[in-house]
């Protein structure tokens, strides 16, 4: 007896369930407030001084080819995150994001895996958060650049301008905790 029809239905259910649960790996417990921004083409090695920065609000546009936006904020740990691992998720549309706690780099985020599992979209900002604690965070977010010779019909080494504007939108910085059971379920589904 052939059950291929039912096996395929089961795999289809797994595929449909994956994005539903992946969105629920991280639960938002707060937002970074009073976020400051600095746009540059320079490759800074540490977050810029805050007196060089200006306030940014959700919905504002940033970017351009080869441009970075630096975001800095102080996060107050909410009561419900007390004693837990605390994550920050900068919603910037950036291709890559370098994350800092204080002046120390703590991780690299990539938008490339966000739709799949959220595996590289959150940075740990505290391994044992204490309610009321203030944590200084900064993010260097890269807008992107054209890469000649990597797309169909590109002329290798052609002197042309990329057709993308590399314009991004800032959506805020979410402060989250992870639901370990949902994370495990997502990776089990993906494995299956």
């Amino acid at each position: 007896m052939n059950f291929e029809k039912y096996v395929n239905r089961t795999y289809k259910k797994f595929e449909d369930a994956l994005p539903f649960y992946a969105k629920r790996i991280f639960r938002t417990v707060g937002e970074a407030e009073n976020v400051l921004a600095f746009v540059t083409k320079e490759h800074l090695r540490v977050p810029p001084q805050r007196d060089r920065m200006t306030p940014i609000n959700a919905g504002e546009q940033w970017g351009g080819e080869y441009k970075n936006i630096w975001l800095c904020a102080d996060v107050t740990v909410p009561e419900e995150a007390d004693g837990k691992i605390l994550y920050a998720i900068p919603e910037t549309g950036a291709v890559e994001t370098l994350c800092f706690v204080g002046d120390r780099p703590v991780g690299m985020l990539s938008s490339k895996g966000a739709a799949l599992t959220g595996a590289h979209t959150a940075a740990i900002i505290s391994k044992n958060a204490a309610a009321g604690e203030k944590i200084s965070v900064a993010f260097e977010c890269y807008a992107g650049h054209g890469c000649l010779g990597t797309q169909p019909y590109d002329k290798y080494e052609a002197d042309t301008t990329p057709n993308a504007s590399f314009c991004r939108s800032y959506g805020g910085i979410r402060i989250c905790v992870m639901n370990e059971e949902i994370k495990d379920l997502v990776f089990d589904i993906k494995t299956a």
Side-chain angles (χ1 to χ4, degrees):
M1 195 170 215
N2 186 346
F3 293 102
E4 188 171 333
K5 173 181 172 182
Y6 299 108
V7 169
N8 289 336
R9 281 185 186 172
T10 301
Y11 284 133
K12 176 69 172 124
K13 288 178 182 180
F14 283 166
E15 287 176 23
D16 292 345
L18 187 63
F20 175 83
Y21 287 108
K23 290 180 200 171
R24 289 158 176 81
I25 291 174
F26 293 101
R27 182 171 50 85
T28 301
V29 295
E31 292 274 336
E33 297 177 359
N34 303 316
V35 179
L36 299 174
F38 179 71
V39 177
T40 182
K41 276 191 172 181
E42 291 178 67
H43 293 287
L44 307 176
R45 300 295 178 237
V46 295
Q49 297 297 316
R50 291 190 181 199
D51 61 0
R52 296 177 68 188
M53 306 178 85
T54 58
I56 188 169
N57 296 304
E60 288 187 38
Q61 301 295 303
W62 70 277
E65 190 170 27
Y66 292 104
K67 288 199 175 174
N68 298 295
I69 189 170
W70 278 88
L71 302 170
C72 292
D74 291 321
V75 173
T76 302
V77 177
E79 187 68 39
E80 68 181 294
D82 188 55
K84 297 181 180 170
I85 299 173
L86 195 63
Y87 298 83
I89 300 177
E91 295 178 340
T92 62
V95 176
E96 294 176 336
T97 301
L98 180 59
C99 308
F100 291 78
V101 172
D103 287 337
R104 187 176 57 93
V106 295
M108 189 77 170
L109 307 180
S110 171
S111 63
K112 297 171 189 139
L116 177 62
T117 62
H120 298 287
T121 59
I124 294 174
I125 60 172
S126 179
K127 291 186 179 179
N128 187 14
E133 169 188 14
K134 294 239 187 256
I135 302 170
S136 178
V137 296
F139 304 95
E140 180 189 33
C141 311
Y142 182 59
H145 66 274
C147 224
L148 292 172
T150 63
Q151 305 302 313
Y153 311 111
D154 272 357
K155 294 180 181 174
Y156 184 67
E157 295 182 350
D159 186 20
T160 60
T161 302
N163 59 8
S165 68
F166 303 98
C167 184
R168 310 295 180 191
S169 180
Y170 171 70
I173 300 171
R174 295 183 324 157
I175 307 306
C176 304
V177 292
M178 181 187 290
N179 183 318
E180 294 284 339
E181 291 176 347
I182 291 177
K183 185 254 315 169
D184 290 346
L185 173 65
V186 166
F187 282 95
D188 287 348
I189 290 172
K190 187 63 183 163
T191 301

